[in-house]
Amino acid sequence: MADEAGTGAPDIRTTALDAALVLLADHELAASTLAARVAASARADPYAVVLTGLGVLGGPLHGGASYGAERLLAEVTEPERAARVIADRVRRGERIPGFGHSVYKNGDARGDLLLTLVREAAPGHERLAATQAVLDEVRRRRLPERNVDFALAALTAVAGMVPGAGEAIFAVARTAGWLAHAMEEYERGSLLRLRASYTGPPPERAPDHPATT
């Protein structure tokens, strides 16, 4: 992507996209990565490993979370609507997409960096005003901090990408990570077999049989 002046220099939006691909390439044993590693440990071929990862990634609590954040931002057609959009979701008892993380309780550093690059890419962009309005409202309500999915939604909005582009970026990036994990499993040479511990109610004791005469 060349800059609008036609100088041939990389557009800073490309820099933000490149950063997103790097930031999302790997993230420990996330759900899709664990699934991909299990597939690789069973000697599934690399294509099957990636398909396994994609099957998990598409869930709305994983790679599909950026689409929810995209829809949230799309509803905030004007910054003034942010309070109403957030309030409606809170009233319905819904999670605010793009906010909160099971690991990063105090904010996702990946999202911070990506949002900074997006702001540098398009200072004054109208979608950034809506983005900031959402952030301000979430903080005012003391809801969970933003994560990388929200930053990814901001990137796709500012860049004018089609709905769902964030999930595609996530998938392309994470594919590299899955394959790296698969290579480790291929070298390990044994099946990744997790164990389960029973946590249900204790089994009832069988009644004593009456004595026979």
Side-chain angles (χ1 to χ4, degrees):
M1 182 186 295
D3 64 3
E4 293 180 358
T7 62
D11 190 313
I12 194 168
R13 287 173 296 179
T14 305
T15 302
L17 177 58
D18 287 345
L21 291 170
V22 172
L23 292 168
L24 294 167
D26 188 42
H27 195 226
E28 302 177 7
L29 289 179
S32 59
T33 302
L34 178 59
R37 284 199 78 121
V38 171
S41 76
R43 290 299 179 272
D45 64 62
Y47 296 100
V49 168
V50 172
L51 284 173
T52 301
L54 288 173
V56 179
L57 188 83
L61 298 183
H62 194 12
S66 63
Y67 182 54
E70 287 176 14
R71 289 184 295 171
L72 173 71
L73 281 178
E75 289 182 38
V76 184
T77 53
E78 300 290 340
E80 294 75 17
R81 280 189 47 80
R84 172 60 62 85
V85 169
I86 298 299
D88 287 345
R89 279 176 164 74
V90 171
R91 191 177 300 112
R92 295 193 298 264
E94 299 177 5
R95 294 176 66 254
I96 308 300
F99 291 85
H101 196 282
S102 60
V103 176
Y104 305 121
K105 304 301 183 182
N106 298 316
D108 187 340
R110 301 171 301 169
D112 293 341
L113 175 58
L114 185 55
L115 265 180
T116 297
L117 292 173
V118 172
R119 290 185 177 115
E120 292 175 354
H125 195 285
E126 61 177 8
R127 289 287 79 200
L128 283 180
T131 297
Q132 189 60 49
V134 171
L135 290 171
D136 292 342
E137 180 61 20
V138 168
R139 284 173 180 157
R140 188 185 72 80
R141 290 176 171 270
R142 298 183 180 180
L143 297 173
E145 291 288 334
R146 66 176 175 245
N147 57 40
V148 72
D149 298 309
F150 184 76
L152 194 54
L155 169 61
T156 60
V158 168
M161 297 182 187
V162 299
E167 186 175 354
I169 293 170
F170 199 125
V172 170
R174 195 55 59 89
T175 295
W178 294 332
L179 292 174
H181 280 271
M183 291 170 66
E184 290 183 352
E185 286 297 331
Y186 291 152
E187 292 177 359
R188 204 165 67 93
S190 60
L191 183 66
L192 181 56
R193 176 66 165 83
L194 305 181
R195 296 300 306 276
S197 297
Y198 179 73
T199 59
E204 294 184 3
R205 183 177 178 180
D208 294 331
H209 294 288
T212 58
T213 59

mmCIF file of all heavy atoms in Angstrom, residues 190-212:
data_model
loop_
_atom_site.group_PDB
_atom_site.id
_atom_site.type_symbol
_atom_site.label_atom_id
_atom_site.label_comp_id
_atom_site.label_asym_id
_atom_site.label_seq_id
_atom_site.Cartn_x
_atom_site.Cartn_y
_atom_site.Cartn_z
ATOM 1 N N SER A 190 5.441 -37.457 20.583
ATOM 2 C CA SER A 190 4.490 -38.201 21.407
ATOM 3 C C SER A 190 3.152 -37.483 21.409
ATOM 4 O O SER A 190 3.067 -36.284 21.160
ATOM 5 C CB SER A 190 5.011 -38.344 22.851
ATOM 6 O OG SER A 190 5.204 -37.074 23.442
ATOM 7 N N LEU A 191 2.112 -38.251 21.679
ATOM 8 C CA LEU A 191 0.760 -37.701 21.656
ATOM 9 C C LEU A 191 0.538 -36.797 22.864
ATOM 10 O O LEU A 191 0.846 -37.169 24.001
ATOM 11 C CB LEU A 191 -0.262 -38.834 21.657
ATOM 12 C CG LEU A 191 -1.734 -38.429 21.553
ATOM 13 C CD1 LEU A 191 -2.025 -37.803 20.204
ATOM 14 C CD2 LEU A 191 -2.628 -39.649 21.784
ATOM 15 N N LEU A 192 0.021 -35.608 22.609
ATOM 16 C CA LEU A 192 -0.327 -34.692 23.694
ATOM 17 C C LEU A 192 -1.654 -35.157 24.288
ATOM 18 O O LEU A 192 -2.713 -34.953 23.714
ATOM 19 C CB LEU A 192 -0.452 -33.264 23.154
ATOM 20 C CG LEU A 192 -0.781 -32.162 24.168
ATOM 21 C CD1 LEU A 192 0.240 -32.139 25.296
ATOM 22 C CD2 LEU A 192 -0.832 -30.812 23.468
ATOM 23 N N ARG A 193 -1.568 -35.806 25.427
ATOM 24 C CA ARG A 193 -2.747 -36.434 26.050
ATOM 25 C C ARG A 193 -3.010 -35.793 27.396
ATOM 26 O O ARG A 193 -2.282 -36.010 28.359
ATOM 27 C CB ARG A 193 -2.512 -37.937 26.202
ATOM 28 C CG ARG A 193 -3.625 -38.691 26.916
ATOM 29 C CD ARG A 193 -4.913 -38.679 26.102
ATOM 30 N NE ARG A 193 -5.876 -39.663 26.581
ATOM 31 C CZ ARG A 193 -6.703 -39.480 27.604
ATOM 32 N NH1 ARG A 193 -6.682 -38.332 28.270
ATOM 33 N NH2 ARG A 193 -7.545 -40.432 27.957
ATOM 34 N N LEU A 194 -4.050 -34.959 27.463
ATOM 35 C CA LEU A 194 -4.406 -34.321 28.714
ATOM 36 C C LEU A 194 -5.257 -35.266 29.554
ATOM 37 O O LEU A 194 -5.950 -36.138 29.022
ATOM 38 C CB LEU A 194 -5.166 -33.022 28.445
ATOM 39 C CG LEU A 194 -4.456 -32.009 27.538
ATOM 40 C CD1 LEU A 194 -5.306 -30.766 27.366
ATOM 41 C CD2 LEU A 194 -3.095 -31.642 28.110
ATOM 42 N N ARG A 195 -5.220 -35.090 30.854
ATOM 43 C CA ARG A 195 -6.016 -35.916 31.756
ATOM 44 C C ARG A 195 -7.137 -35.087 32.345
ATOM 45 O O ARG A 195 -7.046 -33.868 32.468
ATOM 46 C CB ARG A 195 -5.147 -36.469 32.889
ATOM 47 C CG ARG A 195 -4.046 -37.407 32.438
ATOM 48 C CD ARG A 195 -4.597 -38.640 31.717
ATOM 49 N NE ARG A 195 -5.602 -39.346 32.499
ATOM 50 C CZ ARG A 195 -5.342 -40.245 33.428
ATOM 51 N NH1 ARG A 195 -4.094 -40.583 33.708
ATOM 52 N NH2 ARG A 195 -6.333 -40.846 34.082
ATOM 53 N N ALA A 196 -8.219 -35.755 32.715
ATOM 54 C CA ALA A 196 -9.367 -35.083 33.310
ATOM 55 C C ALA A 196 -9.549 -35.575 34.735
ATOM 56 O O ALA A 196 -9.336 -36.754 35.036
ATOM 57 C CB ALA A 196 -10.626 -35.354 32.495
ATOM 58 N N SER A 197 -9.937 -34.665 35.622
ATOM 59 C CA SER A 197 -10.219 -35.019 37.005
ATOM 60 C C SER A 197 -11.708 -34.857 37.259
ATOM 61 O O SER A 197 -12.289 -33.813 36.929
ATOM 62 C CB SER A 197 -9.427 -34.119 37.970
ATOM 63 O OG SER A 197 -8.031 -34.313 37.802
ATOM 64 N N TYR A 198 -12.312 -35.871 37.842
ATOM 65 C CA TYR A 198 -13.744 -35.829 38.131
ATOM 66 C C TYR A 198 -14.010 -34.826 39.249
ATOM 67 O O TYR A 198 -13.388 -34.865 40.313
ATOM 68 C CB TYR A 198 -14.238 -37.213 38.529
ATOM 69 C CG TYR A 198 -15.714 -37.242 38.868
ATOM 70 C CD1 TYR A 198 -16.678 -37.132 37.869
ATOM 71 C CD2 TYR A 198 -16.143 -37.374 40.180
ATOM 72 C CE1 TYR A 198 -18.033 -37.153 38.172
ATOM 73 C CE2 TYR A 198 -17.493 -37.409 40.497
ATOM 74 C CZ TYR A 198 -18.429 -37.292 39.482
ATOM 75 O OH TYR A 198 -19.764 -37.308 39.780
ATOM 76 N N THR A 199 -14.935 -33.892 38.995
ATOM 77 C CA THR A 199 -15.252 -32.869 39.996
ATOM 78 C C THR A 199 -16.731 -32.866 40.380
ATOM 79 O O THR A 199 -17.202 -31.940 41.029
ATOM 80 C CB THR A 199 -14.878 -31.471 39.470
ATOM 81 O OG1 THR A 199 -15.614 -31.216 38.261
ATOM 82 C CG2 THR A 199 -13.392 -31.367 39.196
ATOM 83 N N GLY A 200 -17.467 -33.879 39.949
ATOM 84 C CA GLY A 200 -18.893 -33.946 40.250
ATOM 85 C C GLY A 200 -19.165 -34.427 41.670
ATOM 86 O O GLY A 200 -18.242 -34.587 42.485
ATOM 87 N N PRO A 201 -20.430 -34.654 41.968
ATOM 88 C CA PRO A 201 -20.774 -35.127 43.319
ATOM 89 C C PRO A 201 -20.190 -36.512 43.563
ATOM 90 O O PRO A 201 -20.002 -37.294 42.628
ATOM 91 C CB PRO A 201 -22.303 -35.162 43.284
ATOM 92 C CG PRO A 201 -22.664 -35.288 41.839
ATOM 93 C CD PRO A 201 -21.610 -34.512 41.100
ATOM 94 N N PRO A 202 -19.867 -36.819 44.798
ATOM 95 C CA PRO A 202 -19.300 -38.148 45.088
ATOM 96 C C PRO A 202 -20.322 -39.235 44.778
ATOM 97 O O PRO A 202 -21.539 -39.025 44.923
ATOM 98 C CB PRO A 202 -18.994 -38.077 46.591
ATOM 99 C CG PRO A 202 -19.902 -37.008 47.111
ATOM 100 C CD PRO A 202 -20.028 -36.009 46.008
ATOM 101 N N PRO A 203 -19.856 -40.359 44.316
ATOM 102 C CA PRO A 203 -20.804 -41.447 43.995
ATOM 103 C C PRO A 203 -21.520 -41.921 45.254
ATOM 104 O O PRO A 203 -20.946 -41.960 46.354
ATOM 105 C CB PRO A 203 -19.908 -42.539 43.405
ATOM 106 C CG PRO A 203 -18.546 -42.245 43.954
ATOM 107 C CD PRO A 203 -18.464 -40.755 44.085
ATOM 108 N N GLU A 204 -22.795 -42.255 45.067
ATOM 109 C CA GLU A 204 -23.565 -42.751 46.211
ATOM 110 C C GLU A 204 -23.080 -44.141 46.605
ATOM 111 O O GLU A 204 -22.744 -44.965 45.753
ATOM 112 C CB GLU A 204 -25.042 -42.792 45.855
ATOM 113 C CG GLU A 204 -25.652 -41.411 45.608
ATOM 114 C CD GLU A 204 -27.146 -41.501 45.355
ATOM 115 O OE1 GLU A 204 -27.685 -42.631 45.437
ATOM 116 O OE2 GLU A 204 -27.751 -40.458 45.068
ATOM 117 N N ARG A 205 -23.070 -44.333 47.893
ATOM 118 C CA ARG A 205 -22.639 -45.648 48.380
ATOM 119 C C ARG A 205 -23.727 -46.667 48.132
ATOM 120 O O ARG A 205 -24.910 -46.401 48.379
ATOM 121 C CB ARG A 205 -22.343 -45.554 49.872
ATOM 122 C CG ARG A 205 -21.823 -46.853 50.469
ATOM 123 C CD ARG A 205 -21.486 -46.666 51.924
ATOM 124 N NE ARG A 205 -21.025 -47.913 52.504
ATOM 125 C CZ ARG A 205 -20.664 -48.036 53.763
ATOM 126 N NH1 ARG A 205 -20.720 -46.975 54.579
ATOM 127 N NH2 ARG A 205 -20.250 -49.214 54.234
ATOM 128 N N ALA A 206 -23.334 -47.798 47.641
ATOM 129 C CA ALA A 206 -24.316 -48.858 47.381
ATOM 130 C C ALA A 206 -24.905 -49.345 48.687
ATOM 131 O O ALA A 206 -24.199 -49.491 49.702
ATOM 132 C CB ALA A 206 -23.654 -50.014 46.647
ATOM 133 N N PRO A 207 -26.206 -49.552 48.715
ATOM 134 C CA PRO A 207 -26.849 -50.017 49.957
ATOM 135 C C PRO A 207 -26.351 -51.401 50.340
ATOM 136 O O PRO A 207 -25.997 -52.228 49.481
ATOM 137 C CB PRO A 207 -28.331 -50.036 49.612
ATOM 138 C CG PRO A 207 -28.378 -50.179 48.124
ATOM 139 C CD PRO A 207 -27.175 -49.432 47.613
ATOM 140 N N ASP A 208 -26.254 -51.599 51.650
ATOM 141 C CA ASP A 208 -25.822 -52.928 52.118
ATOM 142 C C ASP A 208 -26.896 -53.970 51.804
ATOM 143 O O ASP A 208 -28.109 -53.689 51.921
ATOM 144 C CB ASP A 208 -25.589 -52.902 53.620
ATOM 145 C CG ASP A 208 -24.418 -51.997 54.005
ATOM 146 O OD1 ASP A 208 -23.504 -51.868 53.165
ATOM 147 O OD2 ASP A 208 -24.445 -51.434 55.108
ATOM 148 N N HIS A 209 -26.465 -55.110 51.348
ATOM 149 C CA HIS A 209 -27.431 -56.189 51.067
ATOM 150 C C HIS A 209 -27.859 -56.871 52.380
ATOM 151 O O HIS A 209 -27.014 -57.127 53.257
ATOM 152 C CB HIS A 209 -26.806 -57.223 50.128
ATOM 153 C CG HIS A 209 -26.530 -56.681 48.765
ATOM 154 N ND1 HIS A 209 -27.534 -56.410 47.866
ATOM 155 C CD2 HIS A 209 -25.371 -56.339 48.161
ATOM 156 C CE1 HIS A 209 -26.997 -55.944 46.757
ATOM 157 N NE2 HIS A 209 -25.683 -55.872 46.920
ATOM 158 N N PRO A 210 -29.122 -57.145 52.533
ATOM 159 C CA PRO A 210 -29.552 -57.832 53.760
ATOM 160 C C PRO A 210 -28.968 -59.243 53.829
ATOM 161 O O PRO A 210 -28.713 -59.879 52.796
ATOM 162 C CB PRO A 210 -31.087 -57.859 53.618
ATOM 163 C CG PRO A 210 -31.344 -57.767 52.136
ATOM 164 C CD PRO A 210 -30.231 -56.883 51.605
ATOM 165 N N ALA A 211 -28.734 -59.638 55.016
ATOM 166 C CA ALA A 211 -28.178 -60.994 55.197
ATOM 167 C C ALA A 211 -29.197 -62.036 54.745
ATOM 168 O O ALA A 211 -30.400 -61.864 54.919
ATOM 169 C CB ALA A 211 -27.822 -61.199 56.679
ATOM 170 N N THR A 212 -28.701 -63.086 54.169
ATOM 171 C CA THR A 212 -29.592 -64.168 53.719
ATOM 172 C C THR A 212 -29.555 -65.278 54.743
ATOM 173 O O THR A 212 -28.575 -65.502 55.465
ATOM 174 C CB THR A 212 -29.151 -64.691 52.357
ATOM 175 O OG1 THR A 212 -27.811 -65.150 52.446
ATOM 176 C CG2 THR A 212 -29.271 -63.597 51.294
#
